Amino acid sequence: MEKQKAIGKAEIARAIETLNRYKRGKANLERRIVEDELWWELRHWEVIRNGRVPPAGRGPEPTSAWLFNAILNKHADAMDSYPEPLVLPREPSDEESARALSEVLPVVLESNGFEQVWSDGWWEKLKHGTAAYGVFWNSRKENGLGDIDVRGIDLLKLFWEPGVTDIQKSRNLFIVELADIDQLEAQYPQYKGRLSGGAVDVKQYIHDSAADTSGKTVVVDWYYKSRRSTGQTVLHYAKLVGDILLYASENDPLYAGRGWYDDGLYPVVLDVLFPEKGAPAGFGYVAVCKDPQLYIDKLSSNILESSMMGTKKRFFASASTAVNEEEFLDWSKPIVHVEGELDDRRLQEIMVQPLSGVYVDVLRMKIEEMKDTAANRDVNAGSAQAGVTAAAAIAALQEAGDKASRDMIAASYRAHVSVSSMAVSRMRQFYDETRTFRVTGEGGAYRFVGVSNAALREQEAGRGPDGETLYRRPVFDLKIRAQKKNPFSRMEQNERAKELYQAGFFDPNRAQEALGALEVMSFEGVEKVREWVKKGQTLAQMCHQLSERVKLLEGQLQGSGGESAPAYPQAGESGGTVGDGLARSVKAARNPKPSLLERLAKRSDGHPANF
């Protein structure tokens, strides 16, 4: 009798019902994300009109890009500090593995185009408040060998349990994608002709061109957690199309007991900008700044409309004065014919009162509010106050104004730690064979590093009190550092180096006070400066000791009557001690021997020789 599978029709029906419930709980977030995208695309007048058809002869609808510019600058700050993982061991026996992971992990991320993934994630984080990253194992990569797959996930296609603040605490997690039916049928030929159903409708963005979804179907990746009798949490995975089960890890003998991923975590990391209570996702700059952006554009619309009215002449014409309107509106006509009498009472210009300057001040006030709200002052965009020209001064102003950017980047670094940790977990689980990576060092030199999970998996750690074998799993700490720095940061460092030089920090005679000042200073590269100052201090001390030794030897030579000593050891004679060599050098310097040319230039009688 065939054993009943853990995931069957009933479980699939419950999963689809759960997915639809999660989608209903996420409806407000999906609606906000779609509207935020329109604000980002400078199409917010469509949101303001709320789908209504614009009236004929409507006023101007300006779309200033203050909000766009604020997001643009924050994204530039993030990419200037692109992260690089550093793996640190917790035990001496794991140092070699940690060193190899530190070299290989950036290469694995680079092979996934993670810089582009990171850039796209930051756009999502700044616009909508949340960037979602997925760390999966793709068995089809590397010609079937399999490798780590790191990619971004659209928030509209991710569903979690409503009310949880940590996505790992959700009972289920769904990732929904549209896939081509013909490709699915080629991969699963046993279900040919049955894969056109959909378990859920996917919310779509509003595009200028309608997306063609014919020939596509909705594929659901369902992740869920279950507990073993031992209390350990196990993560399982199933793939659905409508009510058809394409794969389930619980039905696979290879994964039924251990779970899909050994770490027991959902393979999704959320990087939140501004957190929101009761939800793992947050909100972004569009939600914060669209109110001042709205009034900036509305005020601009009114000011522009008033300006257009003031610059276009209009007239009141009496019905008793028949004015040839065609001639009147044609400015190329030198004569306009009028029937009847013409005076100021029958034809009068409509005078438009100019707007007060206070309205322009209000507009400027809303623009300043936008800058303050977005923490995007002029100095953050590269401008500086009048009179500030020094690179160090501008850098100091930028450093003070970049507090918000540094806080956001630090939060993304914490998310990057989770992404890197999951990548290491995938290596530990799936890197059964040694894989070779090319690691590029400074100057473009490269070498090859081999990595397998042999040093990452559980290892014997001795015997317990009852004779049982104890195991330990290598654990690593992950630190994130900025891989790149913007050109202005390099200018700032160059300016600082010149200032330290002018202040005498590299003078060996002032090394002690320089070291005292460096102890309380904090800037990038301070350790290298401290090392150079210490080297200079050590060299100065050695020179001082050498000078004192030379003086001592000179005194000893003078006390011995100034007897001649050879400057260098003679043939067959040992060099002696350093002190002996110094004594000979000092004696030779005080009583120099005549050169060979001088000796040859003299005859035995002391007269110069003729050559």
Side-chain angles (χ1 to χ4, degrees), residues 457-476:
R457 305 181 76 171
E458 291 184 347
Q459 303 167 1
E460 290 190 12
R463 297 286 180 177
D466 298 332
E468 72 277 11
T469 304
L470 301 179
Y471 294 91
R472 62 171 290 270
R473 171 177 290 184
V475 180
F476 305 96

Side-chain angles (χ1 to χ4, degrees), residues 270-510:
L270 297 184
D271 182 12
V272 178
L273 182 57
F274 303 123
E276 186 177 350
K277 275 290 187 182
F283 56 95
Y285 270 107
V286 174
V288 174
C289 298
K290 63 184 177 183
D291 183 73
Q293 178 68 61
L294 171 64
Y295 283 99
I296 287 172
D297 288 342
K298 282 191 172 183
L299 282 168
S300 298
S301 175
N302 293 339
I303 292 173
L304 288 173
E305 187 174 8
S306 178
S307 301
M308 292 171 64
M309 292 170 60
T311 54
K312 183 177 181 180
K313 292 183 177 295
R314 301 178 70 208
F315 294 87
F316 291 114
S318 174
S320 63
T321 303
V323 178
N324 190 323
E325 293 185 6
E326 184 178 350
E327 293 179 348
F328 180 75
L329 296 175
D330 188 355
W331 287 87
S332 65
K333 301 284 186 181
I335 299 175
V336 179
H337 294 86
V338 180
E339 294 182 5
E341 297 181 359
L342 183 65
D343 54 32
D344 293 340
R345 291 179 299 173
R346 289 182 172 83
L347 189 64
Q348 184 178 356
E349 182 180 352
I350 301 175
M351 303 301 295
V352 178
Q353 294 295 328
L355 283 176
S356 171
V358 68
Y359 302 113
V360 178
D361 293 338
V362 172
L363 175 61
R364 290 174 179 165
M365 181 186 70
K366 298 303 291 184
I367 292 174
E368 292 300 316
E369 178 188 346
M370 164 67 76
K371 293 179 180 180
D372 288 334
T373 303
N376 189 49
R377 305 299 306 173
D378 293 338
V379 69
N380 302 109
S383 302
Q385 298 176 357
V388 181
T389 57
I394 296 175
L397 290 173
Q398 284 189 330
E399 190 75 12
D402 282 345
K403 291 187 293 184
S405 293
R406 291 197 299 272
D407 182 53
M408 290 186 294
I409 292 169
S412 289
Y413 280 4
R414 291 191 291 271
H416 194 283
V417 167
S418 299
V419 171
S420 301
S421 298
M422 287 187 181
V424 173
S425 296
R426 305 294 177 263
M427 293 180 184
R428 177 181 284 123
Q429 181 177 351
F430 296 103
Y431 273 25
D432 296 325
E433 300 180 8
T434 301
R435 298 161 185 255
T436 303
F437 297 88
R438 186 187 67 225
V439 177
T440 304
E442 296 182 2
Y446 64 86
R447 58 192 180 89
F448 295 96
V449 178
V451 174
S452 70
N453 60 4
L456 304 177
R457 305 181 76 171
E458 291 184 347
Q459 303 167 1
E460 290 190 12
R463 297 286 180 177
D466 298 332
E468 72 277 11
T469 304
L470 301 179
Y471 294 91
R472 62 171 290 270
R473 171 177 290 184
V475 180
F476 305 96
D477 292 324
L478 278 160
K479 302 293 182 183
I480 304 298
R481 60 189 176 191
Q483 186 185 78
K484 302 176 181 177
K485 285 293 181 183
N486 60 43
F488 209 88
S489 294
R490 292 194 291 270
M491 291 174 59
E492 177 194 2
Q493 292 173 1
N494 295 339
E495 288 286 336
R496 183 183 292 114
K498 290 194 294 185
E499 291 175 357
L500 293 176
Y501 174 77
Q502 293 170 357
F505 273 58
F506 301 104
D507 184 357
N509 297 322
R510 304 179 62 183

Side-chain angles (χ1 to χ4, degrees), residues 185-232:
E185 289 179 344
Q187 188 176 357
Y188 303 97
Q190 65 271 30
Y191 299 112
K192 188 173 183 178
R194 301 167 55 193
L195 299 178
S196 59
V200 65
D201 293 329
V202 181
K203 184 76 172 179
Q204 298 293 324
Y205 294 101
I206 300 175
H207 301 285
D208 291 331
S209 57
D212 183 14
T213 58
S214 60
K216 295 182 180 293
T217 187
V218 176
V219 180
V220 179
D221 288 341
W222 172 30
Y223 295 90
Y224 59 96
K225 295 183 179 182
S226 61
R227 287 189 176 274
R228 293 177 178 171
S229 57
T230 58
Q232 181 183 1

Side-chain angles (χ1 to χ4, degrees), residues 127-240:
K127 291 186 295 184
H128 309 310
T130 309
Y133 302 98
V135 187
F136 309 97
W137 178 257
N138 189 344
S139 59
R140 294 189 297 272
K141 293 183 74 172
E142 301 295 333
N143 296 321
L145 180 63
D147 207 346
I148 300 168
D149 191 4
V150 183
R151 62 178 185 266
I153 302 175
D154 192 340
L155 275 182
L156 295 183
K157 300 175 181 179
L158 186 65
F159 300 91
W160 56 83
E161 182 180 356
V164 300
T165 55
D166 183 359
I167 198 171
Q168 296 295 338
K169 295 181 179 179
S170 178
R171 292 284 301 273
N172 303 271
L173 185 70
F174 299 92
I175 301 175
V176 179
E177 293 281 357
L178 285 174
D180 293 319
I181 296 177
D182 55 348
Q183 293 184 358
L184 280 174
E185 289 179 344
Q187 188 176 357
Y188 303 97
Q190 65 271 30
Y191 299 112
K192 188 173 183 178
R194 301 167 55 193
L195 299 178
S196 59
V200 65
D201 293 329
V202 181
K203 184 76 172 179
Q204 298 293 324
Y205 294 101
I206 300 175
H207 301 285
D208 291 331
S209 57
D212 183 14
T213 58
S214 60
K216 295 182 180 293
T217 187
V218 176
V219 180
V220 179
D221 288 341
W222 172 30
Y223 295 90
Y224 59 96
K225 295 183 179 182
S226 61
R227 287 189 176 274
R228 293 177 178 171
S229 57
T230 58
Q232 181 183 1
T233 300
V234 179
L235 176 72
H236 280 291
Y237 162 72
K239 196 177 194 70
L240 314 173

